[in-house]
Amino acid sequence: MKLDGFGIFVKDMPTMVRFYRDVLGFEIKEEENESNVYLMKDGTLFLLYRRTDFERMAKRSFSYANDINGHYEIAMSVPNYAAVDDTFKQVVSKGAVPVLEPTTEPWGQRTCYIADPEGNLIEIGSFTK
């Protein structure tokens, strides 16, 4: 098997599409109110799929995390430590939820965390000073 990309199931498709497009710079493949929206970032496929449509397709209901979702993260890198700080400020000013302010970890990574509008964690980091 070959990994093609990854996706998340969303409540509010237009809000999530606008966040990933306008705040994080993902390229959108469809209109923002489709049930299945493909986005690209640096050659990686990112899929947003409306929860209600997936449940209808699977003929069952699922439970979903509320608030900040600690089940996984989307990791994004920037060129250096200063870019971690700058990117954090930029995305928070555009509506990202701040979770962890930029910090330099003992293993040498400068990192921070934000959350998208539905609480999915996104890490922004760099190992380059």
Side-chain angles (χ1 to χ4, degrees), residues 78-88 124 126:
V78 292
N80 53 48
Y81 283 15
V84 172
D85 296 9
D86 293 343
T87 303
F88 180 80
I124 302 165
S126 180

PDB file of all heavy atoms in Angstrom, residues 78-88 124 126:
ATOM      1  N   VAL A  78       8.809  24.884   9.568  1.00  0.00           N
ATOM      2  CA  VAL A  78       9.204  26.175   9.010  1.00  0.00           C
ATOM      3  C   VAL A  78      10.733  26.208   9.010  1.00  0.00           C
ATOM      4  O   VAL A  78      11.374  25.373   9.653  1.00  0.00           O
ATOM      5  CB  VAL A  78       8.595  27.353   9.812  1.00  0.00           C
ATOM      6  CG1 VAL A  78       7.075  27.391   9.629  1.00  0.00           C
ATOM      7  CG2 VAL A  78       8.953  27.279  11.278  1.00  0.00           C
ATOM      8  N   PRO A  79      11.350  27.145   8.292  1.00  0.00           N
ATOM      9  CA  PRO A  79      12.802  27.099   8.088  1.00  0.00           C
ATOM     10  C   PRO A  79      13.672  27.243   9.329  1.00  0.00           C
ATOM     11  O   PRO A  79      14.758  26.677   9.385  1.00  0.00           O
ATOM     12  CB  PRO A  79      13.075  28.271   7.132  1.00  0.00           C
ATOM     13  CG  PRO A  79      11.775  28.577   6.486  1.00  0.00           C
ATOM     14  CD  PRO A  79      10.725  28.182   7.459  1.00  0.00           C
ATOM     15  N   ASN A  80      13.222  28.017  10.342  1.00  0.00           N
ATOM     16  CA  ASN A  80      14.103  28.263  11.480  1.00  0.00           C
ATOM     17  C   ASN A  80      13.293  28.708  12.700  1.00  0.00           C
ATOM     18  O   ASN A  80      12.085  28.890  12.628  1.00  0.00           O
ATOM     19  CB  ASN A  80      15.170  29.306  11.129  1.00  0.00           C
ATOM     20  CG  ASN A  80      14.562  30.575  10.585  1.00  0.00           C
ATOM     21  OD1 ASN A  80      13.617  31.133  11.158  1.00  0.00           O
ATOM     22  ND2 ASN A  80      15.067  31.047   9.446  1.00  0.00           N
ATOM     23  N   TYR A  81      14.023  28.885  13.822  1.00  0.00           N
ATOM     24  CA  TYR A  81      13.392  29.269  15.082  1.00  0.00           C
ATOM     25  C   TYR A  81      12.572  30.557  14.950  1.00  0.00           C
ATOM     26  O   TYR A  81      11.455  30.645  15.451  1.00  0.00           O
ATOM     27  CB  TYR A  81      14.446  29.489  16.163  1.00  0.00           C
ATOM     28  CG  TYR A  81      15.037  28.234  16.776  1.00  0.00           C
ATOM     29  CD1 TYR A  81      14.893  26.980  16.218  1.00  0.00           C
ATOM     30  CD2 TYR A  81      15.774  28.335  17.953  1.00  0.00           C
ATOM     31  CE1 TYR A  81      15.459  25.857  16.801  1.00  0.00           C
ATOM     32  CE2 TYR A  81      16.341  27.233  18.555  1.00  0.00           C
ATOM     33  CZ  TYR A  81      16.178  25.980  17.975  1.00  0.00           C
ATOM     34  OH  TYR A  81      16.727  24.886  18.568  1.00  0.00           O
ATOM     35  N   ALA A  82      13.136  31.559  14.301  1.00  0.00           N
ATOM     36  CA  ALA A  82      12.428  32.839  14.162  1.00  0.00           C
ATOM     37  C   ALA A  82      11.122  32.656  13.395  1.00  0.00           C
ATOM     38  O   ALA A  82      10.108  33.291  13.712  1.00  0.00           O
ATOM     39  CB  ALA A  82      13.321  33.871  13.467  1.00  0.00           C
ATOM     40  N   ALA A  83      11.134  31.769  12.416  1.00  0.00           N
ATOM     41  CA  ALA A  83       9.926  31.516  11.632  1.00  0.00           C
ATOM     42  C   ALA A  83       8.848  30.826  12.472  1.00  0.00           C
ATOM     43  O   ALA A  83       7.658  31.018  12.223  1.00  0.00           O
ATOM     44  CB  ALA A  83      10.250  30.690  10.391  1.00  0.00           C
ATOM     45  N   VAL A  84       9.259  30.028  13.460  1.00  0.00           N
ATOM     46  CA  VAL A  84       8.279  29.423  14.369  1.00  0.00           C
ATOM     47  C   VAL A  84       7.526  30.544  15.081  1.00  0.00           C
ATOM     48  O   VAL A  84       6.292  30.574  15.106  1.00  0.00           O
ATOM     49  CB  VAL A  84       8.951  28.480  15.395  1.00  0.00           C
ATOM     50  CG1 VAL A  84       7.943  28.010  16.449  1.00  0.00           C
ATOM     51  CG2 VAL A  84       9.583  27.278  14.701  1.00  0.00           C
ATOM     52  N   ASP A  85       8.271  31.472  15.656  1.00  0.00           N
ATOM     53  CA  ASP A  85       7.660  32.575  16.396  1.00  0.00           C
ATOM     54  C   ASP A  85       6.786  33.440  15.492  1.00  0.00           C
ATOM     55  O   ASP A  85       5.645  33.781  15.850  1.00  0.00           O
ATOM     56  CB  ASP A  85       8.742  33.445  17.039  1.00  0.00           C
ATOM     57  CG  ASP A  85       9.565  32.702  18.086  1.00  0.00           C
ATOM     58  OD1 ASP A  85       9.437  31.463  18.215  1.00  0.00           O
ATOM     59  OD2 ASP A  85      10.349  33.363  18.775  1.00  0.00           O
ATOM     60  N   ASP A  86       7.306  33.791  14.326  1.00  0.00           N
ATOM     61  CA  ASP A  86       6.565  34.641  13.391  1.00  0.00           C
ATOM     62  C   ASP A  86       5.294  33.954  12.888  1.00  0.00           C
ATOM     63  O   ASP A  86       4.233  34.577  12.810  1.00  0.00           O
ATOM     64  CB  ASP A  86       7.435  35.028  12.193  1.00  0.00           C
ATOM     65  CG  ASP A  86       8.594  35.940  12.574  1.00  0.00           C
ATOM     66  OD1 ASP A  86       8.565  36.549  13.676  1.00  0.00           O
ATOM     67  OD2 ASP A  86       9.550  36.036  11.778  1.00  0.00           O
ATOM     68  N   THR A  87       5.409  32.675  12.543  1.00  0.00           N
ATOM     69  CA  THR A  87       4.258  31.930  12.027  1.00  0.00           C
ATOM     70  C   THR A  87       3.188  31.788  13.094  1.00  0.00           C
ATOM     71  O   THR A  87       1.993  31.939  12.821  1.00  0.00           O
ATOM     72  CB  THR A  87       4.688  30.561  11.488  1.00  0.00           C
ATOM     73  OG1 THR A  87       5.685  30.752  10.475  1.00  0.00           O
ATOM     74  CG2 THR A  87       3.516  29.794  10.910  1.00  0.00           C
ATOM     75  N   PHE A  88       3.603  31.509  14.324  1.00  0.00           N
ATOM     76  CA  PHE A  88       2.652  31.403  15.434  1.00  0.00           C
ATOM     77  C   PHE A  88       1.852  32.705  15.555  1.00  0.00           C
ATOM     78  O   PHE A  88       0.619  32.684  15.601  1.00  0.00           O
ATOM     79  CB  PHE A  88       3.390  31.092  16.734  1.00  0.00           C
ATOM     80  CG  PHE A  88       2.480  30.974  17.928  1.00  0.00           C
ATOM     81  CD1 PHE A  88       1.771  29.801  18.165  1.00  0.00           C
ATOM     82  CD2 PHE A  88       2.333  32.019  18.819  1.00  0.00           C
ATOM     83  CE1 PHE A  88       0.928  29.690  19.273  1.00  0.00           C
ATOM     84  CE2 PHE A  88       1.503  31.929  19.922  1.00  0.00           C
ATOM     85  CZ  PHE A  88       0.793  30.755  20.153  1.00  0.00           C
ATOM     86  N   ILE A 124       3.785  23.539  14.792  1.00  0.00           N
ATOM     87  CA  ILE A 124       4.650  24.309  13.890  1.00  0.00           C
ATOM     88  C   ILE A 124       6.022  24.305  14.530  1.00  0.00           C
ATOM     89  O   ILE A 124       6.167  24.739  15.678  1.00  0.00           O
ATOM     90  CB  ILE A 124       4.133  25.757  13.717  1.00  0.00           C
ATOM     91  CG1 ILE A 124       2.705  25.755  13.169  1.00  0.00           C
ATOM     92  CG2 ILE A 124       5.082  26.540  12.816  1.00  0.00           C
ATOM     93  CD1 ILE A 124       1.995  27.080  13.306  1.00  0.00           C
ATOM     94  N   SER A 126      10.681  23.818  14.102  1.00  0.00           N
ATOM     95  CA  SER A 126      11.931  23.816  13.341  1.00  0.00           C
ATOM     96  C   SER A 126      13.063  23.342  14.241  1.00  0.00           C
ATOM     97  O   SER A 126      13.064  23.588  15.444  1.00  0.00           O
ATOM     98  CB  SER A 126      12.249  25.213  12.821  1.00  0.00           C
ATOM     99  OG  SER A 126      13.465  25.185  12.098  1.00  0.00           O
TER     100      SER A 126
END
